[in-house]
Amino acid sequence: MSVEPFNRLVKLAARAFYDDITTKGDNQPKTGRSDNRGIAVVVLDALTRRQWVREEDLAKDLKLHSKQLRRTLRFFEEEKLVTRDHRRETAKGAKIFSAAVAATVDGQQTAKEGEEKIKLHTHSYCCLDYAQIYDVVRYRLQRMKKKLKDELENKNTVQEYICPTCAKRYTALDALRLISLDDEYFHCESCNGELVAESDKIAAQEGGEGDDNARRRRREKLKDMLQKMEVQLKPLIEQLSRVKDLPVPEFGTLQAWEVRARAAGRAANGDSSGIDPSRSSLGLGYGGSSLPFVGDTKVEVDLSGAEGKGEVIKSENESSLKVLPPWMIKEGMNLTKEQRGEAKQESKMDGSSASLEFTDDKKSLIENDDKKNIQDEYVKAYYAALLKKQQEIEEAAKKHDLSNAHSLNGLSSMSSSRQVGMKSKRDEDEGDDDVEWEEAPVASNANENYKVDLNIQADASGDDEDDDIDWEEG
Amino acid sequence: MFFHIVLERNMQLHPRHFGRNLRENLVSKLMKDVEGTCSGRHGFVVAITGIENVGKGLIRDGTGFVTFPVKYQCVVFRPFKGEILEAVVTMVNKMGFFAEAGPVQIFVSNHLIPDDMEFQSGDMPNYTTSDGSVKIQKDSEVRLKIIGTRVDATEIFCIGTIKDDFLGVINDPAAA
């Protein structure tokens, strides 16, 4: 809910339409001193910086007499720019209120509050009604344009007639009733006065009869006015179109707003100390006009600020979900692969094959670290065993070489197999190493699946892993 | 605009018309009653073109009158805003002129008369262009556009304009 574009709209509209509005009655003489034009703009501007505000407070802030302010506000209420609410608070309630306030709140405010409360019984509040303002301004523009255009084209306008003596108005639709028998003019029904056409009201102010010259002049003037209007109201129109699709800030009724503002104020203060509950209870008990120091706009800013912070935290959480630094990852943490980050895994993994396996197998990630540890040990043990076995094999092969005729063949096949492929290797292994290899699987029973994976990877990759096949057999 | 529609009306018939030509009497009375009237809803009833059906009559206590519900087809004329009509000028004055299109009266105010036409008073008041080629006076025929209607329960009154393309005098009796 952004109020700013709407505030701008209000300010533009105020300057466009209410700049020279004077709230003085017509009977009062207009001296330079009492000329209060521009007050309307000041009041509207002040209201854009507030939400619901008590009129006395506003008057004090603007250093206006409250009567003058009220007159202006009443005018705006009629113009449908402002909603007002009047609430009657009993003197007793006010006294209790002030007493209670004195007990809780600091002195300066107490005095102010109490004094006002006791003196005034009916309090008026006012607030801008943005939704309505938007409509009102659009309607006003539309009417202005239509009026000028109609006048300009003299088209589709129902001619109006006015009786100069009794000021009664007629339209051309009444014409049939108005024609008199004795002359060619229309006559008023009530006073029989001669009616005059009333269409040239805008331009005919400087006199001039309905002759051609005057008409032409009028047309020019109207055209000029229309153009001027377009130019001068351009910012306002632009603002209107900008605001068109925005959600309208809605403050609700005074009561609803108060409840919300109070909650927001408490949230913003953070400390729900003794002041707040007392105030809220008072507010509920005595008409709820107890928001003296929660600056209206301030409340909103705080609220949005809090929200913003929350969002920031949230976003941080989200980002942290993505990649955790390695030192933050502990055993047993339920993290996804992405959280850990690929690079880290690989660095931990000695065997590239293992890392590959991990990236592929998401389920195993939970016991990731356990596995890694085991794997490391496993690999070490494996290499030790392998070394040992190779020596044994070589010795055995030598023996075989000596004893058996085809042992030479076997040796060659074995050595070749180490480089080339596993099949031959397996064949070779089948011979005598089974027993030894079986030990390791017993030790690491739980890691069956891991082992299998490792082996499969090994098929694809390099020399060393060739031996892994043996594990599979085990 | 003209419409051909079916309307219904309860006709009260005097007992003296009961007889062989009750139906003819009923229809002629209907025509006399309805044709030329104006209702705000349907406009002017121009003519009855046929009887759809005549319902069962109901004898009134005391009077002996019988009420027949009659459904009849008729042509109605209802002017609409924006409609173009041809009308005969009936009166010209300083404020504009009045014209009639059949039953409907139309007022054209002097603001809705083209700017180049000026009012000439005299014993035959008229609106004339500066070169005198076009003249609007009583009995002129004009084509005009309706820009407003006032529809009462029993009356329709229109205001029109001739300040638009192809509007204005279509036949000047003085020239003819």
Side-chain angles (χ1 to χ4, degrees):
Chain A
M1 180 164 100
S2 73
V3 197
E4 206 33 60
F6 283 91
N7 280 342
R8 189 169 149 71
L9 173 69
V10 172
K11 283 173 187 169
L12 283 170
R15 278 153 185 78
F17 301 135
Y18 303 105
D19 200 19
D20 55 351
I21 296 288
T22 172
T23 51
K24 281 264 183 274
D26 290 332
N27 50 355
Q28 281 164 304
K30 285 200 182 80
T31 63
R33 230 178 110 78
S34 72
D35 182 19
N36 59 358
R37 280 178 299 176
I39 283 262
V41 177
V42 172
V43 171
L44 276 180
D45 277 10
L47 280 174
T48 61
R49 294 189 291 270
R50 292 163 172 78
Q51 297 185 5
W52 276 100
V53 64
R54 195 192 326 207
E55 288 174 16
E56 291 93 55
D57 294 350
L58 186 62
K60 224 166 248 179
D61 289 350
L62 296 178
K63 302 210 173 10
L64 277 176
H65 199 274
S66 66
K67 266 186 187 169
Q68 200 179 9
L69 178 71
R70 191 160 302 148
R71 211 180 293 132
T72 314
L73 284 174
R74 206 181 302 125
F75 169 74
F76 283 136
E77 196 182 14
E78 280 164 14
E79 292 280 313
K80 309 276 182 210
L81 298 182
V82 160
T83 49
R84 294 172 85 201
D85 198 353
H86 309 284
R87 231 170 18 191
R88 205 170 164 74
E89 281 129 4
T90 61
K92 196 186 166 198
K95 264 177 207 158
I96 294 169
F97 174 88
S98 58
V101 167
T104 51
V105 195
D106 56 87
Q108 185 254 336
Q109 265 172 344
T110 310
K112 183 180 152 203
E113 282 294 305
E115 173 195 17
E116 279 186 1
K117 278 287 169 182
I118 292 165
K119 258 195 256 173
L120 301 164
H121 294 226
T122 306
H123 293 281
S124 303
Y125 300 81
C126 57
C127 177
L128 290 176
D129 188 345
Y130 289 99
Q132 203 156 254
I133 287 169
Y134 174 59
D135 289 339
V136 163
V137 172
R138 271 193 314 159
Y139 182 65
R140 193 178 178 121
L141 285 173
Q142 159 71 18
R143 293 285 301 188
M144 285 167 73
K145 238 178 252 171
K146 186 173 156 35
K147 194 163 186 167
L148 281 177
K149 277 215 173 114
D150 280 355
E151 200 104 355
L152 186 64
E153 290 160 23
N154 256 333
K155 211 153 84 179
N156 299 353
T157 44
V158 176
Q159 179 70 51
E160 291 199 353
Y161 300 97
I162 195 162
C163 175
T165 48
C166 64
K168 197 166 179 196
R169 301 171 77 93
Y170 300 91
T171 66
L173 290 163
D174 301 311
L176 201 57
R177 286 184 289 144
L178 302 173
I179 36 173
S180 71
L181 298 171
D182 19 285
D183 64 5
E184 57 203 12
Y185 296 104
F186 290 144
H187 285 266
C188 177
E189 280 179 322
S190 46
C191 67
N192 204 32
E194 212 169 84
L195 299 186
V196 292
E198 204 238 349
S199 87
D200 2 321
K201 52 208 159 205
I202 293 180
Q205 277 145 3
E206 65 244 39
E209 274 307 293
D211 57 359
D212 265 358
N213 240 353
R215 252 186 223 180
R216 210 163 300 128
R217 248 183 289 128
R218 200 185 69 207
R219 279 180 66 83
E220 270 163 27
K221 185 165 183 196
L222 284 172
K223 217 176 271 177
D224 202 37
M225 269 175 92
L226 199 62
Q227 266 174 358
K228 259 192 211 159
M229 192 186 113
E230 303 252 304
V231 171
Q232 290 175 357
L233 294 182
K234 205 173 165 218
L236 185 62
I237 291 161
E238 275 171 359
Q239 188 64 22
L240 273 177
S241 62
R242 215 171 293 146
V243 148
K244 193 174 70 179
D245 297 324
L246 295 177
V248 180
E250 197 67 68
F251 299 135
T253 61
L254 178 57
Q255 276 81 9
W257 174 80
E258 249 177 355
V259 170
R260 254 188 307 132
R262 204 177 296 132
R266 216 175 301 154
N269 284 349
D271 58 335
S272 55
S273 61
I275 296 169
D276 271 333
S278 73
R279 180 171 296 117
S280 66
S281 70
L282 276 168
L284 291 172
Y286 306 110
S289 62
S290 54
L291 282 168
F293 75 96
V294 183
D296 305 315
T297 39
K298 202 172 75 197
V299 168
E300 222 222 347
V301 168
D302 283 351
L303 185 62
S304 66
E307 278 171 6
K309 256 181 238 165
E311 276 167 26
V312 167
I313 289 163
K314 218 182 276 171
S315 67
E316 271 175 10
N317 279 339
E318 278 168 8
S319 66
S320 74
L321 270 177
K322 272 165 195 160
V323 178
L324 279 178
W327 62 86
M328 279 183 76
I329 301 176
K330 288 171 196 156
E331 281 191 9
M333 271 176 84
N334 194 356
L335 300 172
T336 59
K337 175 191 70 183
E338 290 85 357
Q339 284 171 255
R340 292 169 175 281
E342 304 288 329
K344 194 218 80 199
Q345 274 181 9
E346 275 168 48
S347 69
K348 270 205 174 181
M349 300 274 103
D350 292 350
S352 61
S353 67
S355 80
L356 278 171
E357 178 242 323
F358 276 109
T359 56
D360 287 342
D361 191 0
K362 276 201 177 184
K363 279 174 239 164
S364 69
L365 284 170
I366 297 168
E367 309 99 16
N368 214 353
D369 284 319
D370 298 15
K371 273 190 185 174
K372 264 178 239 158
N373 294 340
I374 291 162
Q375 191 191 25
D376 287 352
E377 287 172 32
Y378 210 43
V379 168
K380 274 177 205 161
Y382 164 71
Y383 279 127
L386 182 69
L387 202 66
K388 204 171 155 192
K389 191 186 77 180
Q390 277 176 343
Q391 288 167 355
E392 278 177 349
I393 286 167
E394 275 171 38
E395 280 177 40
K398 278 171 191 167
K399 280 177 197 168
H400 280 285
D401 199 11
L402 293 174
S403 60
N404 289 355
H406 66 278
S407 64
L408 184 73
N409 206 2
L411 180 64
S412 67
S413 76
M414 187 192 80
S415 60
S416 71
S417 77
R418 249 173 230 162
Q419 285 114 30
V420 179
M422 48 183 175
K423 284 272 177 190
S424 54
K425 184 85 182 270
R426 187 184 278 171
D427 292 344
E428 175 253 318
D429 283 337
E430 269 171 20
D432 36 13
D433 300 324
D434 276 356
V435 183
E436 236 220 318
W437 287 112
E438 241 158 16
E439 285 171 15
V442 172
S444 61
N445 252 345
N447 298 317
E448 280 283 315
N449 63 338
Y450 154 70
K451 226 191 315 168
V452 169
D453 284 342
L454 191 65
N455 289 335
I456 289 165
Q457 300 292 340
D459 293 354
S461 52
D463 272 342
D464 287 339
E465 283 82 13
D466 286 356
D467 302 279
D468 293 345
I469 295 140
D470 302 337
W471 290 103
E472 193 174 36
E473 282 169 9
Chain B
M1 204 177 289
F2 292 95
F3 297 94
H4 193 202
I5 57 171
V6 176
L7 294 179
E8 192 171 355
R9 187 182 171 89
N10 285 327
M11 294 295 301
Q12 293 216 359
L13 202 62
H14 194 273
R16 68 164 177 266
H17 299 300
F18 299 170
R20 266 196 317 195
N21 38 9
L22 183 148
R23 197 184 162 84
E24 284 77 55
N25 283 326
L26 191 66
V27 171
S28 63
K29 185 171 164 28
L30 176 71
M31 286 179 165
K32 211 173 83 188
D33 282 2
V34 167
E35 282 182 0
T37 62
C38 171
S39 79
R41 184 173 161 73
H42 298 105
F44 297 94
V45 178
V46 177
I48 290 171
T49 56
I51 307 295
E52 287 258 304
N53 75 332
V54 179
K56 281 182 180 160
L58 192 72
I59 301 173
R60 290 285 174 204
D61 288 345
T63 61
F65 274 85
V66 173
T67 308
F68 292 97
V70 183
K71 274 191 180 169
Y72 58 97
Q73 301 162 341
C74 60
V75 174
V76 295
F77 172 61
R78 175 131 176 18
F80 288 98
K81 198 170 162 179
E83 189 176 347
I84 309 283
L85 282 182
E86 285 165 19
V88 179
V89 175
T90 55
M91 183 169 72
V92 178
N93 65 23
K94 194 176 181 296
M95 313 304 281
F97 65 85
F98 288 85
E100 278 180 1
V104 65
Q105 280 213 305
I106 302 147
F107 173 63
V108 179
S109 84
N110 56 7
H111 287 86
L112 300 172
I113 295 171
D115 289 337
D116 59 346
M117 298 188 88
E118 280 197 35
F119 179 70
Q120 315 281 334
S121 56
D123 85 335
M124 197 69 166
N126 59 66
Y127 281 90
T128 319
T129 54
S130 50
D131 60 355
S133 62
V134 181
K135 193 185 256 184
I136 294 174
Q137 59 189 9
K138 194 172 183 305
D139 295 328
S140 295
E141 290 174 25
V142 291
R143 183 174 291 138
L144 51 83
K145 186 165 94 172
I146 294 173
I147 59 163
T149 59
R150 177 205 189 97
V151 179
D152 298 333
T154 60
E155 190 185 38
I156 296 179
F157 181 70
C158 300
I159 51 176
T161 177
I162 56 168
K163 206 182 201 177
D164 212 338
D165 295 341
F166 306 107
L167 299 183
V169 176
I170 49 177
N171 174 30
D172 190 3

